Amino acid sequence: MRERFEIGWAPDRRDILARHLADKGFRPEELAEAGLIAIPDDGRPPYDRFRGRIVFPIRDTRGRAIALGGRSLDPKARAKYLNSPETPLFDKSRTLFNLRDARAAAGRSGPLLVVEGYMDVIALVQAGFEAAVAPLGTAITEEQLEQIWRVCPEPLVALDGDRAGLAAAHRLVDLALPRLVAGRSLRFVLLPPGQDPDDLLRAGGRAAMERLIADSQPVVELLWRRE
């Protein structure tokens, strides 16, 4: 899985990437525009955006790396997850992690699953649910929803079954309702409170996720529950 998703490591040093790429002829302005380094306004030397983090390439639908995501191993880190900033290549509101491979797998390995983060996607793919995607640290946008529907007319959205998860489901219902047409909808997989797909798969294996998928709820059920 590490090789499949090309997972890497950014050492916990201030400028190791900036110096490495400078030695290859890249100018600081180019690296900053690509979201790899930041240039302080006060004249201090540039520094790497990703330090002391496990790093995940984020690819577009043609398989090109357009951004990075990083997960800190420091429990005191200000941000557990960090994505590249918006760049000429990367618009996070229009990007879904693993979309290219999920599109190829949709139908063959089951319906499209939409989860919260890339760690969830990787856990699902490892368990055999290869048609899995995730937004990048934000709620699903209109553009992402359209991309999801182009892959699968009735995708499964997996969310935590607690209050925050239900609130996220209701926001997505409100986004989807004006755009529903015949043959295009959503189903919701509500996970046990406090568990994400990775937790569920570690505890109960593939069968646990299959049971929840079998019990998935349509949009109308979420609407009735809210009302």
Side-chain angles (χ1 to χ4, degrees):
M1 296 304 291
R2 186 173 70 240
E3 291 176 358
R4 174 169 179 168
F5 285 94
E6 300 176 284
I7 301 170
W9 169 252
D12 195 9
R13 290 166 59 184
R14 177 181 172 86
D15 61 352
I16 187 169
L17 180 64
R19 289 190 292 106
H20 172 72
L21 292 176
D23 289 344
K24 291 183 174 293
F26 291 96
R27 293 181 290 106
E29 294 77 15
E30 293 174 311
L31 302 179
E33 187 179 28
L36 296 173
I37 70 170
I39 302 176
D41 294 331
D42 58 8
R44 287 182 298 159
Y47 60 89
D48 299 349
R49 284 191 176 274
F50 296 92
R51 304 185 302 278
R53 291 177 181 269
I54 299 172
V55 177
F56 305 83
I58 297 167
R59 296 186 175 277
D60 66 10
T61 54
R62 291 169 58 184
R64 300 173 299 183
I66 57 172
L68 299 172
R71 192 226 193 265
S72 176
L73 295 185
D74 181 359
K76 297 180 181 178
R78 286 190 298 174
K80 183 177 179 180
Y81 288 98
L82 179 68
N83 292 324
S84 292
E86 301 270 320
T87 72
L89 294 175
F90 176 55
D91 179 349
K92 67 182 178 181
S93 70
R94 298 175 180 270
T95 305
L96 290 160
F97 182 73
N98 197 48
L99 179 60
R100 181 192 61 162
D101 291 348
R103 184 173 60 187
R108 186 182 72 237
S109 68
L112 185 70
L113 276 161
V114 183
V115 291
E116 290 192 41
Y118 27 76
M119 295 295 288
D120 295 325
V121 168
I122 292 169
L124 284 165
V125 171
Q126 190 168 19
F129 299 97
E130 298 200 14
V133 299
L136 298 163
T138 60
I140 294 172
T141 65
E142 179 181 344
E143 292 85 356
Q144 289 168 332
L145 186 57
E146 291 294 336
Q147 288 179 313
I148 288 165
W149 272 329
R150 283 197 289 272
V151 175
C152 177
E154 193 174 42
L156 297 164
V157 182
L159 295 167
D160 196 327
D162 62 12
R163 182 176 297 179
L166 283 172
H170 292 151
R171 287 194 297 272
L172 183 53
V173 168
D174 289 337
L175 178 68
L177 272 177
R179 299 168 177 84
L180 296 183
V181 296
R184 191 166 85 168
S185 189
L186 297 170
R187 294 189 71 87
F188 290 87
V189 177
L190 297 179
L191 299 161
Q195 283 196 328
D196 59 25
D198 190 25
D199 299 325
L200 183 79
L201 290 165
R202 286 176 186 274
R206 180 183 173 95
M209 178 59 74
E210 286 177 335
R211 285 193 294 271
L212 288 182
I213 289 174
D215 291 335
S216 62
Q217 301 177 14
V219 167
V220 67
E221 181 64 28
L222 267 291
L223 271 175
W224 279 120
R225 285 182 59 174
R226 176 169 68 180
E227 296 310 314

